[in-house]
Amino acid sequence: MFFRQLFDPASSTLSYLIADDTTHEAVLVDPVIEQTERDVRLLREHGLSLKYTLETHVHADHVTAAQALKRATGAQTAVCRDCNAQGYDLLLEDGDVILFGHEEILTIATPGHTPGSVSYLWPDRVFTGDTLLIGGCGRTDFQNGSAEALWESITGKLFKLDEQILVYPGHDYKGRRVSSIGEEKRFNARLSGKNREEFLAIMSNLGLPMPARIHEAVPSNLEAGADQPAVSRASEQWAALENRVAVQSVSARQLAEILRTPGIHLLDVRTPLEFGNARIAGAVNIPLDRLDPAALLASIGADALVYCVCQTGTRSQLAASALRSAGFTRVVHVDGGTNAWALAGLPVARGAAVGA
Ligand SMILES: [Fe+2]
């Protein structure tokens, strides 16, 4: 895993560079144009190939480096479709999965700060942009912001994630760099112990000045390149996140031991292509977007022992949550997925997908 948190002092923007260790493909979340040289140098120093720049929203306080990095590296530019921005290569929607190397990032629509604000979930951390800040949240008094939508996004989506998930925000003005879902639930001054009405009252009385660069930044960020969408969409169902509950997990090595036990259902929720390339022997392939928990429940019963696996552990967590929500009582997901399985030197099978 390659991960760097980067900071632009002028706008207090936090950007995030993530890369796959084996293929060296990388993505950069919320790049800042003034930091393009730094970012290109960093990519070169580490031999990384930038595949995507990902915007959490159309920013009002800085200009994105999406165009500049596209020119410098060929990286495709991505923003949420609901931003109504022009010229980005990829227009993301809720549930879209961004693939780079063996890594995957899940797009979570979190409107409120702006209608097109999204968060990006990468196995144990979430990049929240201006939706959820450390101890606070983004303002909602311009760019068609909505405090009501922000409340729903934070309490209905982000706060339903596992409490251990790390929160990496789009800004921090006090030198803080990382938090967690659990910490924000307990200590966020605008949200902890507040009900919806109290939150709305706080948001309507912030009295903040307009960002200094808003008239430059917003028009510029609404136009960031041109190409056509090619993102891999996995269509994860929101129900999986909305009903997310703590899911037990095992390591790949533990799974190898467990699979000696008869009666285990090993559910591989990747695409048939991924499944055919390399899979764990005995796994049944049901891609996440085709998973019907109720039908599976009727087929194998609530007490069935089900292990969910994917490539890195993101989709399998969603699948496991969906199964638990449907009534399964013994669901486990495999940390690190088939990547961890292969890295542990465990045997890999190849061949066509088996439907179920
Ligand atoms: Fe913002």
Side-chain angles (χ1 to χ4, degrees):
M1 167 182 114
F2 180 98
F3 174 72
R4 289 286 186 284
Q5 183 182 53
L6 305 162
F7 186 63
D8 173 57
S11 62
S12 294
T13 299
L14 292 160
S15 307
Y16 301 93
L17 178 62
I18 310 163
D20 175 61
D21 280 334
T22 50
T23 66
H24 308 295
E25 287 186 337
V27 302
L28 188 45
V29 178
D30 284 340
V32 176
I33 195 155
E34 285 82 4
Q35 300 296 340
T36 304
E37 200 178 316
R38 174 201 67 189
D39 295 344
V40 170
R41 192 177 343 111
L42 193 55
L43 290 164
R44 287 200 182 125
E45 280 171 4
H46 292 274
L48 302 178
S49 161
L50 189 64
K51 193 169 182 189
Y52 299 115
T53 54
L54 307 176
E55 306 295 328
T56 55
H57 62 297
V58 167
H59 306 276
D61 53 6
H62 68 269
V63 174
T64 174
Q67 283 265 28
L69 286 166
K70 179 176 179 155
R71 280 197 294 274
T73 69
Q76 293 205 296
T77 59
V79 73
C80 176
R81 184 180 295 280
D82 294 338
C83 287
N84 288 319
Q86 304 295 314
Y88 283 84
D89 297 319
L90 311 178
L91 296 176
L92 301 172
E93 295 181 18
D94 187 35
D96 279 343
V97 172
I98 297 116
L99 300 174
F100 55 107
H102 302 298
E103 300 288 339
E104 56 190 43
I105 288 176
L106 175 68
T107 308
I108 304 173
T110 48
H113 172 60
T114 73
S117 289
V118 297
S119 299
Y120 295 111
L121 181 64
W122 183 54
D124 66 343
R125 56 201 74 188
V126 62
F127 306 100
T128 53
D130 292 359
T131 298
L132 180 62
L133 303 174
I134 298 173
C137 62
R139 62 197 292 175
T140 53
D141 56 338
F142 60 76
Q143 287 185 282
N144 296 317
S146 161
E148 291 84 353
L150 187 60
W151 172 263
E152 290 305 319
S153 292
I154 295 174
T155 63
K157 292 183 174 178
L158 296 178
F159 279 3
K160 295 286 170 64
L161 297 172
D162 289 345
E163 295 204 345
Q164 291 80 8
I165 296 233
L166 298 172
V167 172
Y168 282 98
H171 295 285
D172 193 84
Y173 307 93
K174 297 180 180 174
R176 297 164 300 188
R177 293 294 175 260
V178 62
S179 176
S180 70
I181 294 294
E183 279 182 48
E184 292 312 312
K185 282 165 86 168
R186 281 187 285 283
F187 302 118
N188 191 299
R190 292 188 187 168
L191 294 146
S192 178
K194 304 285 192 300
N195 63 31
R196 183 175 180 275
E197 283 61 42
E198 290 167 328
F199 175 76
L200 298 182
I202 291 170
M203 295 307 289
S204 63
N205 288 299
L206 292 179
L208 298 169
M210 282 290 123
R213 297 182 67 188
I214 186 170
H215 300 299
E216 170 200 5
V218 171
S220 178
N221 290 333
L222 282 168
E223 295 185 15
D227 209 329
Q228 52 186 348
V231 74
S232 166
R233 182 130 200 263
S235 302
E236 280 84 345
Q237 299 301 309
W238 254 118
L241 276 178
E242 286 173 343
N243 298 317
R244 193 162 182 154
V245 290
V247 172
Q248 195 184 343
S249 66
V250 294
S251 69
R253 286 199 180 281
Q254 287 170 320
L255 178 68
E257 289 299 315
I258 291 161
L259 287 176
R260 299 173 196 270
T261 312
I264 303 287
H265 297 269
L266 180 59
L267 193 62
D268 188 321
V269 297
R270 296 174 300 160
T271 64
L273 184 64
E274 291 173 294
F275 185 74
N277 283 342
R279 60 189 163 81
I280 301 168
V284 172
N285 183 218
I286 306 180
L288 186 58
D289 59 352
R290 283 190 240 145
L291 179 62
D292 182 344
L296 194 63
L297 189 77
S299 164
I300 62 176
D303 294 333
L305 189 48
V306 183
Y307 284 76
C308 298
V309 67
C310 66
Q311 193 83 22
T312 66
T314 299
R315 282 172 286 178
S316 61
Q317 285 190 55
L318 295 172
S321 293
L323 294 178
R324 278 185 172 254
S325 298
F328 281 94
T329 57
R330 300 197 295 166
V331 184
V332 181
H333 98 96
V334 182
D335 277 333
T338 51
N339 283 353
W341 178 274
L343 283 172
L346 295 162
V348 171
R350 298 177 202 285
V354 179

